[in-house]
Amino acid sequence: MKVLHVISETPPSFLQHLKELTFIEKKPLRYVTVGRVFFKNMTLITDRFCAERLTSLVRTLELTNIEDYQPLQEVATFATLVATYDKGFLLILEPFESDTATVPNPVLHFTCLDAAIAIKPVFDRFSSVIITSGTISPLEMYPKMLGFNAVIQESYTMTLARRSFLPMIVTRGSDQSAISSGFQIRNDPSVVRNYGNLLTEFARITPDGVVVFFPSYLYMESIISMWQSMGILDQVWQYKMILVETPDSQETSLALETYRTACSNGRGAVLLCVARGKVSEGIDFDHHYGRTVLCIGVPFQYTESRILKARLEFLRETYRIRENDFLSFDAMRHAAQCLGRVLRGKDDYGIMVLADRRFQKKRQQLPKWIAQAMTDADTNQSVDMAVSSAKRFLRTMAQPFEDDGAEGAGKEGAVKSSWGDRDLKLHQEKMDTAKIRELENGDGQVPGDQMMRDAEEYGEEVDDAALMDLDF
């Protein structure tokens, strides 16, 4: 650990160095012998993973202060993983906590580079596996990354009773200057001000909750500070309460609880969070908890990260995936997850805003149900145009609606998303008629006679060739 430069090595290399320095073999790190059974001159040895054995021991001893053993559990988990996998993992030792630090404080990263390792046990156990989600797009990337051949690969539209979500791409501000979170212009005052105006306007017109996603904590802190100096936060406070996600899980849980309380009370709130944080992964903002989601910038990963560089190199050499393709795929996948937070059911509705000019070129990488709902006019809007479209959409959602059918079935007709009493009655009559005709055919009714009777009923003529084709 006493190094002054970054070291990257594979698990076998690390274990070899560990053996030279500490004389610790690979097997004790991975397995722990938990029992020996002697039977007919044979010895049966039962082994368990080191991490599992420690967890079982803590549970058996009924220890109350489990938090005190958390560091030991992490060491045991690390030992088990590093001794189990020879490929797909990498150890990175950084001597300093940050690039600007001068006092050595080593940080050891053990990162998984191959996502196929996690899903391989599923493929080994089951002969047929269905992978489905509303936010996996583009589909072509997943078979490459997970190492399987897709038998069926389909993307479907969403069946809804009416157009209950409004996706938009905002490429410029009210002053017609481009907005983006790219490194060249992300801290430009005009860009930050236009982002602030976008948030202010949607906080003013949106009922209940507004969720805002940023690419990173660092950028979120920077833009919040600039908004404070510009007086934008004071304007937002006039309409809604402002809450912020932090890396601390307890603070984030408290912010979420306060946010939900404010939305339930009728005033609503604005939650500022990060696209790769806790909120974007597993928190639902259904109904009044999320009527608008704003995605400020494209959520690209930090490209200078050593872990990301190692993974990009692994994907290029192993699966022939180019760096730009993976970075774009990963960013749009997280953007789709952020957008999907506000639409959690067929009776829900919400507004989805992608605020970055770069989204315009990446529209086709969005899930099909989002991309098809976005018209050409929705892909290049200014802040004023987006606000105007949102107002019209919210007025439409406020009107009474009778659920007669559903969108998503094409121009000819719509697939029923829910059936009422009238639909059930018509279906029952149709089934009864079909059953009566089946019984008539089974009681000696000749198919040709049935065809003649149907033709007379509907005023059609029966072709003699059609009768000749019947197999009596």
Side-chain angles (χ1 to χ4, degrees):
M1 298 290 284
K2 296 181 180 179
V3 296
L4 297 179
H5 60 279
V6 179
I7 295 179
S8 299
E9 57 182 354
T10 61
S13 175
F14 173 80
L15 292 174
Q16 181 62 32
H17 293 157
L18 184 66
K19 181 180 178 180
E20 295 174 356
L21 296 174
T22 63
F23 304 100
I24 297 178
E25 297 285 346
K26 174 181 178 179
K27 185 176 180 180
L29 294 176
R30 182 182 182 185
Y31 292 119
V32 176
T33 302
V34 297
R36 293 175 180 268
V37 179
F38 298 94
F39 178 73
K40 292 184 178 181
N41 298 325
M42 294 187 301
T43 303
L44 303 178
I45 301 176
T46 305
D47 293 337
R48 295 184 64 179
F49 285 116
C50 181
E52 293 180 355
R53 177 57 178 157
L54 178 60
T55 303
S56 177
L57 180 61
V58 171
R59 189 184 302 112
T60 302
L61 296 177
E62 297 182 357
L63 301 176
T64 56
N65 51 342
I66 301 178
E67 295 80 6
D68 297 342
Y69 299 91
Q70 185 62 30
L72 183 60
Q73 180 67 52
E74 294 179 357
V75 172
T77 303
F78 167 75
T80 301
L81 291 174
V82 77
T84 302
Y85 297 100
D86 294 335
K87 298 179 180 180
F89 282 83
L90 187 69
L91 292 102
I92 302 176
L93 178 59
E94 298 180 343
F96 302 100
E97 287 184 308
S98 63
D99 296 334
T100 58
T102 57
V103 179
N105 188 13
V107 179
L108 179 63
H109 301 280
F110 184 62
T111 179
C112 179
L113 306 177
D114 190 2
I117 294 176
I119 201 170
K120 186 178 183 300
V122 179
F123 291 151
D124 293 341
R125 181 176 180 183
F126 301 98
S127 58
S128 299
V129 178
I130 299 176
I131 302 176
T132 176
S133 174
T135 55
I136 54 174
S137 180
L139 295 177
E140 295 76 15
M141 185 67 72
Y142 287 89
K144 295 180 182 179
M145 292 181 56
L146 301 180
F148 70 93
N149 296 321
V151 179
I152 298 176
Q153 186 172 290
E154 293 290 343
S155 179
Y156 300 99
T157 58
M158 184 175 292
T159 305
L160 296 170
R162 58 175 172 174
R163 191 189 183 192
S164 58
F165 65 97
L166 176 64
M168 296 182 291
I169 298 177
V170 178
T171 60
R172 58 192 187 276
S174 301
D175 56 359
Q176 301 305 311
S177 62
I179 58 175
S180 174
S181 64
F183 287 101
Q184 296 82 3
I185 62 173
R186 60 163 42 183
N187 291 321
D188 188 277
S190 63
V191 174
V192 176
R193 186 177 296 106
N194 282 323
Y195 274 139
N197 293 337
L198 178 69
L199 174 61
T200 303
E201 290 298 321
F202 274 92
R204 179 177 62 86
I205 67 173
T206 303
D208 304 312
V210 178
V211 187
V212 185
F213 290 99
F214 294 86
S216 64
Y217 286 106
L218 184 63
Y219 182 57
M220 181 176 68
E221 293 173 359
S222 173
I223 202 169
I224 288 176
S225 177
M226 297 182 70
W227 280 348
Q228 179 65 38
S229 61
M230 294 177 179
I232 292 176
L233 294 183
D234 295 333
Q235 299 177 24
V236 177
W237 266 103
Q238 296 178 5
Y239 306 108
K240 296 184 186 299
M241 181 186 298
I242 302 176
L243 298 157
V244 182
E245 177 192 9
T246 66
D248 185 88
S249 59
Q250 293 184 349
E251 292 180 355
T252 300
S253 298
L254 181 60
L256 281 171
E257 183 180 353
T258 306
Y259 172 82
R260 292 183 179 277
T261 302
C263 293
S264 299
N265 290 341
R267 180 187 178 187
V270 174
L271 181 62
L272 307 179
C273 41
V274 176
R276 300 177 185 274
K278 173 185 176 182
V279 173
S280 67
E281 295 292 342
I283 306 299
D284 295 337
F285 296 95
D286 56 322
H287 300 288
H288 61 285
Y289 294 124
R291 291 305 184 194
T292 295
V293 57
L294 303 178
C295 196
I296 304 295
V298 182
F300 284 111
Q301 294 191 54
Y302 178 54
T303 55
E304 296 301 317
S305 168
R306 292 186 177 91
I307 295 177
L308 177 60
K309 289 182 178 179
R311 189 176 190 191
L312 292 175
E313 182 180 357
F314 175 84
L315 293 174
R316 183 181 66 251
E317 296 178 354
T318 307
Y319 298 115
R320 302 180 184 273
I321 298 176
R322 296 183 300 179
E323 288 88 342
N324 291 338
D325 292 341
F326 173 77
L327 291 174
S328 181
F329 152 78
D330 182 69
M332 296 306 295
R333 179 173 64 90
H334 280 280
Q337 285 184 339
C338 295
L339 298 181
R341 296 298 96 192
V342 300
L343 195 66
R344 311 309 297 177
K346 290 191 175 184
D347 58 344
D348 203 358
Y349 68 90
I351 301 172
M352 306 172 179
V353 180
L354 296 167
D356 195 304
R357 64 181 181 183
R358 295 174 293 179
F359 280 119
Q360 194 174 11
K361 295 182 179 180
K362 302 179 182 298
R363 171 187 174 185
Q364 298 305 321
Q365 297 184 24
L366 289 168
K368 186 176 181 180
W369 62 276
I370 297 179
Q372 287 192 348
M374 193 180 299
T375 63
D376 292 337
D378 296 330
T379 61
N380 186 21
Q381 296 201 343
S382 65
V383 172
D384 296 336
M385 295 168 62
V387 171
S388 178
S389 298
K391 286 182 178 179
R392 291 195 300 269
F393 173 78
L394 292 173
R395 280 196 295 266
T396 302
M397 292 295 102
Q399 303 305 314
F401 175 73
E402 183 178 352
D403 187 5
D404 291 332
E407 292 185 349
K411 297 180 180 180
E412 297 297 331
V415 179
K416 293 288 183 180
S417 62
S418 61
W419 282 11
D421 295 338
R422 181 172 175 270
D423 300 312
L424 292 174
K425 185 177 180 180
L426 291 175
H427 177 71
Q428 186 64 42
E429 292 177 354
K430 182 179 178 181
M431 295 297 294
D432 293 342
T433 303
K435 190 173 182 179
I436 291 173
R437 291 185 177 180
E438 181 181 354
L439 292 174
E440 289 178 349
N441 290 336
D443 290 341
Q445 182 68 42
V446 181
D449 295 339
Q450 178 67 32
M451 181 182 293
M452 294 291 295
R453 192 179 68 175
D454 291 343
E456 293 174 359
E457 180 179 354
Y458 292 99
E460 299 176 354
E461 295 184 358
V462 179
D463 189 4
D464 293 336
L467 290 174
M468 292 295 294
D469 289 339
L470 291 175
D471 185 14
F472 291 96

